[in-house]
Amino acid sequence: MSFDLVKETAANPELMAWVGEMKEKLDAKMAYGLKKANEVDYMPYSSENGQWKETHIGWWTNGFWPATMWQMFRMTGKDLYREEAVRTEKMLDKALQDFKNLSHDVGFMWLIHSGVRYALEKNPDSYDRVLYAAEVLAGRFNPNGFIRAWNGKGREGWAIIDCMMNLPILYWASEVTGDPRYQLIAMKHADTSMKAFVRPDGSCNHIVIFDPDDGDFLDNPGGQGFESGSSWSRGQAWALYGFTLSYLHTGKQEYLDTAKRVAHYFISQITDDWVPRCDFRQPADPDIRDNAAGNIAASGLLELARMVPECEGRFYYEAALKILRAQEKTCADWTEATPAVFTKCTSAYHDLPGRHIQMNYGDFYFVEAIGKLLGEKLLAWYPNREN
């Protein structure tokens, strides 16, 4: 028998009270964030001096704001969130038009909101946006078995663990078109990632550089973590959730086994206070944390819990709850001093201005996780699944 996280949550009155409180707080905070978003002509990402900070329209995080709005619409039924999701979806058309400058992050940018809108409303423009983005991602596939991450001369062979979370847009494209090419590309990349990124202990490389001509491994620089061979916690979270999603889409057992291995590693490294360090192998001083890594991992653990037997699922479920509750208790700002919630997101270990800031996707994954505990069945990463 698989684990039923909604039933388990409903059976705990104290937990249900907390989840209900989170719903109310998110509604108030996101409505305020929406109000502040309508005061600017760009997509919300981070905050500064109580305002949303400006980003370029092609910035990889820009899909998380409309995606959060759809999550809030589903959670509350309030039209203001749907209207904001639609408004900002249209803003991103400029990024599609500038497709030459897009990276592999197009799943983040379109599937989780345009894909959701198409699932709910069958809007043809939303369908076209997601399929266009899937074509862009498929075009970045190197036949040696990996998807190129970033643009720029000298980066032809660069791939990163984050791409595991963008693969669902390719699975989506195969399902809606009936063309297996997209899924084959996604699975080739996932297979390569299992071998080249995930270490035996469940820790992961952030970046792997392959020879673009023959696919040979060349290097694994530290990327956004502390150093080469270290363990950037957000990378572990991308892998945990990403391999879980690849298993959900394909049923390939090796993906589930990999997700579980990464999950056990992540949990083993966070049990001191359940708020992840930016890099699990960073020096003790300074004490740099990353709320985004925690919320991504927690939502991924909740999804993973659904896919395994009850006893095993409870282990992942309880770890997810500890992360969510610890981060909310110590790092959330529910006031109107800022339009975002979580205050200790970190862009990269060596990015000093990017330490302990607010980032829209740190909030998105918390909203998503609370939605799951409330019984949300529509998964942004698999929006065309029967709900």
Side-chain angles (χ1 to χ4, degrees):
M1 180 181 296
S2 60
F3 183 77
D4 188 333
L5 65 89
V6 176
K7 181 179 178 181
E8 189 75 17
T9 303
N12 184 332
E14 186 274 333
L15 176 58
M16 278 301 297
W18 180 79
V19 172
E21 180 188 3
M22 291 304 101
K23 177 181 175 180
E24 292 180 4
K25 286 186 172 182
L26 285 170
D27 189 15
K29 186 71 173 201
M30 292 300 158
Y32 177 72
L34 187 161
K35 175 185 174 183
K36 302 300 288 185
N38 278 267
E39 295 176 0
V40 299
D41 60 357
Y42 48 83
M43 196 75 75
Y45 163 55
S46 188
S47 63
E48 188 174 57
N49 299 321
Q51 305 292 328
W52 288 116
K53 192 174 180 180
E54 186 168 3
T55 59
H56 182 269
I57 193 60
W59 185 238
W60 72 274
T61 66
N62 280 346
F64 285 107
W65 177 252
T68 303
M69 295 298 98
W70 279 115
Q71 294 285 326
M72 292 304 303
F73 173 71
R74 295 281 292 181
M75 188 182 294
T76 68
K78 294 183 177 180
D79 285 338
L80 76 162
Y81 294 120
R82 180 197 171 276
E83 291 167 2
E84 175 68 357
V86 171
R87 181 185 78 88
T88 49
E89 177 188 23
K90 293 176 182 176
M91 288 173 61
L92 278 172
D93 286 348
K94 291 182 179 179
L96 273 182
Q97 292 162 8
D98 190 26
F99 70 93
K100 298 185 299 300
N101 290 315
L102 292 173
S103 71
H104 70 142
D105 285 315
V106 292
F108 289 140
M109 294 182 72
W110 280 282
L111 177 65
I112 57 177
H113 63 95
S114 290
V116 168
R117 186 182 181 194
Y118 178 70
L120 294 175
E121 302 178 355
K122 294 297 181 283
N123 180 276
D125 292 335
S126 296
Y127 175 95
D128 288 349
R129 290 174 176 117
V130 187
L131 188 58
Y132 191 155
E135 293 282 2
V136 170
L137 186 58
R140 302 183 72 84
F141 179 67
N142 183 304
N144 287 303
F146 65 90
I147 293 172
R148 178 180 177 174
W150 297 316
N151 302 326
K153 186 174 178 57
R155 289 183 167 182
E156 293 83 0
W158 289 47
I160 65 175
I161 194 64
D162 316 38
C163 193
M164 288 302 305
M165 288 297 295
N166 286 289
L167 299 184
I169 197 172
L170 297 175
Y171 297 129
W172 176 93
S174 276
E175 289 200 13
V176 299
T177 65
D179 189 332
R181 292 176 303 150
Y182 306 99
Q183 176 161 317
L184 290 172
I185 289 171
M187 293 182 72
K188 286 289 187 183
H189 180 87
D191 292 345
T192 298
S193 297
M194 281 195 298
K195 298 173 184 176
F197 283 87
V198 183
R199 306 171 187 135
D201 67 353
S203 65
C204 305
N205 294 311
H206 175 208
I207 300 172
V208 172
I209 302 176
F210 300 99
D211 186 318
D213 292 318
D214 59 22
D216 285 350
F217 176 96
L218 297 179
D219 196 8
N220 60 326
Q224 288 169 252
F226 175 63
E227 64 183 3
S228 178
S230 65
S231 179
W232 180 49
S233 62
R234 193 155 77 247
Q236 319 307 303
W238 294 138
L240 187 167
Y241 204 164
F243 279 105
T244 298
L245 293 171
S246 276
Y247 172 73
L248 179 62
H249 280 277
T250 68
K252 185 170 180 175
Q253 183 65 39
E254 290 88 343
Y255 298 157
L256 179 61
D257 294 341
T258 302
K260 289 162 64 174
R261 189 161 85 250
V262 177
H264 282 262
Y265 173 80
F266 193 99
I267 293 168
S268 75
Q269 299 299 307
I270 198 178
T271 53
D272 53 346
D273 62 6
W274 298 96
V275 178
R277 301 179 297 284
C278 175
D279 191 306
F280 289 132
R281 296 172 183 168
Q282 71 188 32
D285 185 34
D287 183 21
I288 307 302
R289 303 301 179 111
D290 185 9
N291 292 159
N295 290 334
I296 295 162
S299 193
L301 286 166
L302 292 178
E303 207 59 45
L304 181 58
R306 303 181 201 261
M307 301 178 189
V308 295
E310 185 173 355
C311 181
E312 192 177 3
R314 182 169 288 105
F315 172 72
Y316 299 132
Y317 167 80
E318 290 178 353
L321 290 177
K322 288 175 181 176
I323 295 169
L324 293 170
R325 300 190 75 167
Q327 296 212 136
E328 189 274 327
K329 182 178 180 179
T330 61
C331 307
D333 183 342
W334 296 110
T335 73
E336 292 188 355
T338 173
V341 179
F342 285 91
T343 61
K344 289 190 177 180
C345 300
T346 295
S347 174
Y349 182 85
H350 295 288
D351 176 15
L352 299 185
R355 289 179 174 177
H356 293 177
I357 62 173
Q358 296 177 308
M359 300 191 297
N360 61 6
Y361 59 100
D363 289 358
F364 167 83
Y365 285 96
F366 186 83
V367 174
E368 182 184 54
I370 296 301
K372 291 176 183 180
L373 295 173
L374 287 167
E376 176 61 81
K377 294 181 179 179
L378 191 154
L379 181 62
W381 313 95
Y382 200 164
N384 51 316
R385 180 178 60 171
E386 290 295 325
N387 300 305

